[in-house]
Amino acid sequence: MKKRQFLAALAVSASAFAVPSLSYAFDAMTLKVASNYPSTSLFSRVQQFYTDQITKKTNGKVTFEWFYGSALLKATDVFPGISRGVVDMGFSVPAAFNPREYPVSDITLPFITTNPGAASMAFAEWYQNTPAVQEEFKKNNVHLLLTLPAAENVLWSMKKVQTADDLKGMRIRTLLGPGQAFTILGATAVTVPYTDAIDLMSRGGVDAISTTPFEQGVMDGLHDMVKYLSPAADMGIFATVMTGINLNRWNSFSPELQKIFTESAQEALMFYIDEQSKEVDKAVETLLKSQIEVVPLDPAEAQRWQEATRDQIVNAYNEKVKRVGGNGPELIDSFTVLVRKYEQQSPYTTGIQRYLQRKGTN
């Protein structure tokens, strides 16, 4: 019931941007869109839904040419490519791949929330109300269209991890806040692209893979490659996939067309929240048929992980945003308040929790 109410509220919000598409004659254009994500990923499917809505509302006048899977731009080049006009639009994780240019945007720190829907709505509202993050995109000649926080962080490993001591000496493919946490706890962070990590795992180059959404890991068959799966102390949402458009291109649009892009982004966000939960359910069904051992952490042990790492992670964020004139504590507090608001509207059960419930354990 709460989920339906949450989506209904989003629908009302989206309707505020509604624009009658038949009353305005749009110029024909084809926009180039690039990403490092493959066409099969949930994030890519959301982008396809988003742009299909735009094409429909412009009566076929605005269409899109796609360059998925780093076909045109690698992960580190997507947002710089948008800035320079190499492509019109793109989606990636600039906080991970372009951290010097997008420090403020790295707000989805470990241990804030495990709820991707709440994080999605919170980030959208936070962006609208936070000049520091708006200025960050403007400075990079990008207009932010859509934000999709990735689902909860987990740890896929060849070694059974039950305590922080078990992490010592492990080589873990990881990025962003979880990478900081694992390093503090004694592991070695291997910061290679996710696709490279899968190859490394198959050759014994890493002991574990982290910082990929729970359902994505199942889709890619990690449960067949490793022996153990851990919730990693419920670090939760760790990254936000962002869709941006070249600011000059955006400013060339009519107000009517800008409203259609904004309206369609609201609808795409609703689509993502619904589809992401469905993907988690599918992943749980797959895991139930597999031989992997899911290893929940003792709550007291999970608390020790958080207490040992949280302050250092927050301090690192505060320092990097301070260098660009930002107030880290205020930014984190304002984002967290919004997360708590949306968590109340739409409770979420993580993939591992759903799996354990189906297994009849706790």
Side-chain angles (χ1 to χ4, degrees):
M1 176 63 72
K2 283 192 175 182
K3 179 180 177 183
R4 288 197 295 271
Q5 292 172 342
F6 183 55
L7 294 177
L10 292 183
V12 171
S13 175
S15 68
F17 295 94
V19 180
S21 60
L22 297 177
S23 64
Y24 190 88
F26 297 99
D27 294 333
M29 65 180 75
T30 298
L31 303 178
K32 291 184 177 180
V33 187
S35 181
N36 53 298
Y37 285 95
S39 61
T40 54
S41 81
L42 174 60
F43 299 118
S44 297
R45 299 203 319 271
V46 174
Q47 306 300 324
Q48 187 66 63
F49 175 89
Y50 175 39
T51 55
D52 284 350
Q53 296 301 106
I54 295 168
T55 299
K56 178 181 177 181
K57 292 173 187 177
T58 59
N59 303 304
K61 292 292 188 178
V62 179
T63 57
F64 300 85
E65 182 180 5
W66 294 90
F67 299 91
Y68 293 114
S70 299
L72 181 62
L73 297 173
K74 295 180 180 179
T76 53
D77 298 325
V78 172
F79 267 75
I82 299 169
S83 299
R84 298 194 305 269
V86 176
V87 292
D88 300 291
M89 292 172 55
F91 58 100
S92 186
V93 186
F97 301 118
N98 312 104
R100 291 181 62 184
E101 291 80 11
Y102 295 91
V104 178
S105 302
D106 188 21
I107 193 66
T108 45
L109 303 175
F111 306 114
I112 290 181
T113 185
T114 60
N115 186 325
S120 297
M121 288 304 301
F123 199 108
E125 185 172 339
W126 182 72
Y127 174 79
Q128 292 299 325
N129 297 328
T130 307
V133 70
Q134 294 171 9
E135 183 60 30
E136 182 166 274
F137 282 87
K138 183 178 179 181
K139 183 171 64 176
N140 286 287
N141 199 38
V142 174
H143 176 77
L144 185 62
L145 294 167
L146 178 62
T147 54
L148 306 175
E152 69 269 11
N153 184 56
V154 295
L155 181 69
W156 304 88
S157 64
M158 298 301 295
K159 178 182 178 181
K160 193 171 188 175
V161 175
Q162 295 178 292
T163 70
D165 286 342
D166 296 328
L167 295 169
K168 289 181 169 58
M170 288 182 65
R171 289 173 52 80
I172 302 174
R173 181 276 173 181
T174 183
L175 300 166
L176 296 170
Q180 293 174 273
F182 286 128
T183 300
I184 293 166
L185 294 171
T188 298
V190 180
T191 57
V192 297
Y194 173 57
T195 51
D196 293 348
I198 294 176
D199 179 61
L200 271 177
M201 175 71 80
S202 67
R203 295 187 285 107
V206 293
D207 305 302
I209 292 178
S210 189
T211 51
T212 193
F214 165 80
E215 67 274 13
Q216 185 66 49
V218 177
M219 181 185 298
D220 294 334
L222 294 184
H223 56 287
D224 291 326
M225 297 179 61
V226 303
K227 296 179 180 180
Y228 304 102
L229 172 61
S230 166
D234 287 330
M235 292 183 193
I237 309 305
F238 62 91
T240 301
V241 178
M242 302 183 186
T243 306
I245 186 169
N246 177 272
L247 185 58
N248 297 331
R249 186 62 145 156
W250 174 256
N251 288 337
S252 74
F253 290 171
S254 67
E256 292 82 2
L257 185 55
Q258 289 183 350
K259 288 180 181 179
I260 283 179
F261 270 74
T262 303
E263 169 198 355
S264 299
Q266 292 282 332
E267 295 167 357
L269 182 54
M270 288 187 284
F271 177 81
Y272 170 67
I273 291 169
D274 197 42
E275 288 296 305
Q276 188 274 333
S277 187
K278 293 177 183 177
E279 289 290 309
V280 170
D281 285 337
K282 291 178 185 177
V284 168
E285 290 296 329
T286 299
L287 283 187
L288 287 168
K289 300 172 186 176
S290 74
Q291 299 300 310
I292 196 166
E293 182 179 348
V294 176
V295 186
L297 284 186
D298 178 83
E301 178 64 22
Q303 183 65 27
R304 282 191 286 272
W305 288 32
Q306 179 172 347
E307 291 173 352
T309 63
R310 173 69 179 168
D311 286 349
Q312 292 185 56
I313 291 169
V314 168
N315 289 341
Y317 178 81
N318 291 343
E319 284 300 316
K320 69 182 179 181
V321 301
K322 182 179 180 180
R323 288 194 287 270
V324 295
N327 185 317
E330 287 186 3
L331 291 165
I332 293 172
D333 287 348
S334 61
F335 177 70
T336 303
V337 166
L338 292 171
V339 168
R340 299 294 173 258
K341 178 178 77 170
Y342 288 110
E343 284 177 335
Q344 290 295 316
Q345 294 182 18
S346 181
Y348 177 79
T349 303
T350 68
I352 286 183
Q353 289 170 340
R354 296 184 205 191
Y355 172 88
L356 294 174
Q357 288 170 0
R358 291 287 305 278
K359 273 284 198 178
T361 60
N362 51 48

